[in-house]
Amino acid sequence: MSGEARSYATVNVALAEHICTITLNRPERFNACSRQLMADLGEALSAAAADGDVRVVILTGAGSAFCSGQDLAELKDSYAQGEPPELARILHERYNPVIERMGAMRQPIIGAINGIAAGAGCSLALACDMRLASESAAFMEAFINVGLAPDAGSTYFLPRLIGHAAAMEMCCTGRKIEADEALRRGLVNRIVPADRLMDEAMSLARTIASKSAPAIAATRRLLNQSLTASLDWQLASEAEAQDTLAGNADHLEGVMAFIEKRKPRFKGR
């Protein structure tokens, strides 16, 4: 798998060491969400999800921005004619399938937030399981500034990350949250120098990729499920997951490595 790469019109994909790095690649438009970009991103995520050799996904942006949100240039003709576009249809066709794909993947997703993540770009960042932010990163729920409510999953992920009151303030003011405040509020796992962002993201990804892939997938599923599950359901789900994982070769390898005082060599099965 090492060294392989795929390119779409607006998204680049690199595969190495069981890690799939997906880069939004419209730097001249601050990686704004065009119809093509969302289609490409959905295809890249689906390909990664189906690749049995991929254990971790990194999502980042080319240039100075992570993603500036919806590309309004695509919609300007409708607005100029006084006829707002069918936003619900756009969400159902372009955005929601991508967010749902991210949520359904077995592989954890690390967001390497290299710059501004605004509007739907903020939603994409929030849909990642972990976020590393460069010192120049910022988050902005910009919807209110154009008379809209947050979408593409922001109203689901944001209050779960920072709480209801803080989410209300962020969404109702539309103000920019710089990296240091994002760290204090729990939006990001840590801040790293801009020139170290991808190195740190790869280091974290390698650590995760070195673990048992079935156990990582089960952990991701259980943690995501816990956001809405009852305690008794969660306890039963944990027991079911452990029963399944206990029959895997990776579990036996992990136990034997512990007994033999060596590093485990997980095979992902």
Side-chain angles (χ1 to χ4, degrees), residues 8 13 23 29-30 34 42 54 58 68 90 100 111 117 119 129 139 169-170 179-180 193 208 215 220 246 253 262 264:
Y8 300 83
V13 178
T23 304
R29 297 290 299 168
F30 302 105
S34 64
V54 173
I58 297 174
S68 59
I90 291 173
E100 289 167 354
D129 297 292
F139 299 81
E169 178 190 357
M170 187 172 170
D180 56 348
I208 296 171
R220 184 182 199 262
E253 166 62 15
R262 59 175 175 80

Side-chain angles (χ1 to χ4, degrees), residues 105-175:
M105 293 178 72
R106 59 184 170 78
Q107 304 98 329
I109 305 172
I110 300 170
I113 314 303
N114 56 301
I116 186 68
C122 185
S123 300
L124 285 175
L126 298 179
C128 297
D129 297 292
M130 296 157 272
R131 283 156 297 282
L132 303 186
S134 77
E135 296 166 326
S136 59
F139 299 81
M140 189 175 181
E141 293 286 5
F143 302 91
I144 198 68
N145 296 331
V146 291
L148 293 175
D151 59 31
S154 269
T155 61
Y156 180 86
F157 296 111
L158 189 62
R160 286 166 169 79
L161 286 168
I162 66 175
H164 175 83
M168 277 291 291
E169 178 190 357
M170 187 172 170
C171 291
C172 290
T173 63
R175 71 180 181 87

Side-chain angles (χ1 to χ4, degrees), residues 38-260:
M38 295 308 293
D40 289 347
L41 178 56
E43 288 187 25
L45 289 167
S46 294
D51 190 334
D53 206 29
V54 173
R55 299 183 184 180
V56 187
V57 173
I58 297 174
L59 179 62
T60 192
S64 61
F66 175 73
C67 177
S68 59
Q70 169 63 41
D71 190 346
L72 293 177
E74 284 194 341
L75 308 178
K76 67 179 181 180
D77 288 344
S78 292
Y79 284 112
Q81 296 171 16
E83 298 178 2
E86 299 176 51
L87 296 183
R89 178 181 58 79
I90 291 173
L91 285 169
H92 287 307
E93 290 180 357
R94 302 183 199 175
Y95 289 91
N96 294 355
V98 169
I99 300 300
E100 289 167 354
R101 164 50 62 197
M102 292 174 73
M105 293 178 72
R106 59 184 170 78
Q107 304 98 329
I109 305 172
I110 300 170
I113 314 303
N114 56 301
I116 186 68
C122 185
S123 300
L124 285 175
L126 298 179
C128 297
D129 297 292
M130 296 157 272
R131 283 156 297 282
L132 303 186
S134 77
E135 296 166 326
S136 59
F139 299 81
M140 189 175 181
E141 293 286 5
F143 302 91
I144 198 68
N145 296 331
V146 291
L148 293 175
D151 59 31
S154 269
T155 61
Y156 180 86
F157 296 111
L158 189 62
R160 286 166 169 79
L161 286 168
I162 66 175
H164 175 83
M168 277 291 291
E169 178 190 357
M170 187 172 170
C171 291
C172 290
T173 63
R175 71 180 181 87
K176 185 186 296 184
I177 304 296
E178 305 287 354
D180 56 348
E181 183 178 357
L183 181 63
R184 292 198 307 271
R185 289 185 178 272
L187 274 175
V188 301
N189 294 69
R190 60 179 183 266
I191 302 171
V192 299
D195 62 354
R196 292 284 304 163
L197 178 63
M198 291 311 297
D199 289 338
E200 292 292 331
M202 284 296 295
S203 177
L204 176 59
R206 288 189 191 100
T207 298
I208 296 171
S210 72
K211 309 299 183 183
S212 168
I216 291 291
T219 299
R220 184 182 199 262
R221 176 176 55 79
L222 287 167
L223 287 175
N224 286 341
Q225 173 187 298
S226 74
L227 297 173
T228 55
S230 63
L231 177 59
D232 59 343
W233 181 269
Q234 194 68 12
L235 291 172
S237 296
E238 289 174 348
E240 182 181 359
Q242 297 296 55
D243 195 42
T244 299
L245 293 170
N248 288 344
D250 276 357
H251 174 58
L252 178 60
E253 166 62 15
V255 171
M256 294 307 299
F258 179 81
I259 292 171
E260 296 169 3

